[in-house]
Amino acid sequence: MGQFAIGIDGGGTSCRAAVINGTGQVLGTGKAGAANILSDLENSLINIVASARHALTSAGLDPEQVYKLPAVIGTAGANVGSYGKRVEGALPFASSRVVTDATIALQGALGDADGIIGAFGTGSVYNARRDGVSWGIGGWGFVIGDQASGARLGRDLLERALLAHDRVAATSPLTNAIMAEYGNDPERVVEFAHASKPKDFGRYAPIVFDYAGMNDPVAIDIIKTAAKAITESLDALLWPECPSICLLGGLAQAYRPWLDARHKALLAEPKGDVLRGAVELAAKLLRDGKGSWA
C-alpha cells in the first residue's frame, strides 16, 4: 500500500487530516471547511481533499500525492443509504475507505479496548465495543437526530426565543439577548433558520452553556433536555461490566457536570481524539490493506 497514508476526520464544522508513515507516526496535519456529507455533499468532497492536501504540504510532501495514497475518512452520514459509497467513489485517493464518525471516535478514544463513547460536536453520535464487537446508535443528522449536539442546542435556543417573543413561554436574559441580536424581529430569526447549515446553529451552543452558568432558566432547561437524551442513549448501550465511558468532541467537557451519576462513575479520559482514531485506522489500512474494523 506504499509508505504513507491519510486519516481524515470529516466534521460538521471543519475537516481535519493527518499524514502518517509506515510506523503510524503523524508527519503533518491539515484543516479545511465543513464535511457534512448529508447536508452539503459537493463542498464536503472539496474540503476532504483540501484538508488532505494541506496535511501533505505540512508534512513536506507534494500535495499531488493525494492521487497516490490510501485514505480513511470518518464522517457523519456514512451510515445513511449510499452516501458512504458515493463519497468513496468520488474521492481522488488511490483507495478510499469511508466509515462513520462514530467509528473513528471509538478508535480514537478506546484504541482496541471495550467501552462506550459519545461524541458531541456540531452533530452527535454514540458507539460501543464489547468483546471486540462494535455497534452504534444515533448519528442520523440534524433534521431528525443529533440530539444534544451543538446544532440541536442552537436550534432549540432559537425555538425558545421565538416562543418567548410570542409570549407562549417565559422570557429570560438568554431569549432576550437572542431576540436583540435579530433586532427583535422574529422574521429575521426564521430567515436565518431556513438559510442555515448545522454548523451555523452550532455556534450558539457555547452561549447556552454560558447562560446556564448564570442560572438562566431557559438555558438550563435546554441543557437538561439534552442531558436526558444523553442518559437515554448511554443506557441503550450500557452493559453491567462496561469498563468505561468516554466523551469526545467540542461539547464533551461542558456536558460532564450534567450527566447522570451512574455514567459519571464510568467516565474515563479518551486515549486520543477523533482524528487520532482516523489515523489509527489509516495505519491499519497501510499495514495490511484491511483492518478488523472493516
Side-chain angles (χ1 to χ4, degrees):
M1 297 294 290
Q3 64 183 113
F4 303 111
I6 303 170
I8 298 174
D9 166 27
T13 299
S14 64
C15 185
R16 301 182 299 155
V19 177
I20 61 168
N21 62 16
T23 66
Q25 178 186 4
V26 174
L27 305 178
T29 59
K31 188 175 181 180
N36 189 321
I37 64 174
L38 286 179
S39 64
D40 192 349
L41 179 58
E42 182 178 352
N43 281 315
S44 294
L45 294 172
I46 292 171
N47 289 329
I48 288 169
V49 176
S51 69
R53 287 179 174 274
H54 292 323
L56 286 164
T57 300
S58 171
L61 299 171
D62 183 354
E64 294 304 305
Q65 293 249 17
V66 292
Y67 298 102
K68 301 178 181 179
L69 300 181
V72 170
I73 305 97
T75 179
N79 57 328
V80 178
S82 63
Y83 275 90
K85 292 299 182 184
R86 288 171 63 188
V87 172
E88 285 184 349
L91 290 172
F93 305 111
S95 63
S96 301
R97 189 73 57 84
V98 175
V99 299
T100 66
D101 50 347
T103 299
I104 59 173
L106 183 74
Q107 187 67 33
L110 302 179
D112 294 328
D114 287 354
I116 294 172
I117 64 96
F120 308 97
T122 302
S124 67
V125 71
Y126 304 82
N127 213 333
R129 185 189 293 123
R130 182 181 183 183
D131 298 329
V133 178
S134 300
W135 74 101
I137 59 175
W140 300 122
F142 170 65
V143 176
I144 54 173
D146 285 0
Q147 290 80 9
S149 67
R152 284 293 294 263
L153 290 179
R155 177 252 179 227
D156 291 351
L157 172 57
L158 294 182
E159 178 183 315
R160 293 293 294 268
L162 287 177
L163 288 171
H165 173 83
D166 288 341
R167 299 185 180 181
V168 174
T171 62
S172 78
L174 176 55
T175 63
N176 290 336
I178 294 302
M179 291 308 301
E181 179 182 334
Y182 291 91
N184 291 306
D185 184 348
E187 293 184 6
R188 288 179 55 191
V189 179
V190 174
E191 288 173 355
F192 167 83
H194 280 274
S196 294
K197 301 291 185 183
K199 65 182 179 65
D200 301 315
F201 289 94
R203 71 181 177 87
Y204 287 106
I207 298 172
V208 175
F209 281 101
D210 287 345
Y211 273 82
M214 296 183 281
N215 293 316
D216 183 278
V218 170
I220 289 173
D221 191 52
I222 291 172
I223 295 175
K224 283 184 174 180
T225 299
K228 181 175 182 290
I230 294 173
T231 295
E232 292 170 346
S233 295
L234 292 177
D235 280 343
L237 294 172
L238 197 61
W239 65 96
E241 303 83 15
C242 178
S244 65
I245 295 172
C246 293
L247 304 185
L248 299 93
L251 298 178
Q253 291 300 317
Y255 272 127
R256 289 177 78 107
W258 301 87
L259 295 180
D260 187 281
R262 296 175 296 110
H263 300 145
K264 284 183 182 178
L266 292 174
L267 285 180
E269 290 302 317
K271 294 180 178 179
D273 65 3
V274 183
L275 180 59
R276 184 65 209 176
V279 165
E280 289 189 11
L281 295 184
K284 291 186 178 186
L285 181 64
L286 186 64
R287 182 176 63 246
D288 55 26
K290 180 178 180 181
S292 60
W293 47 275

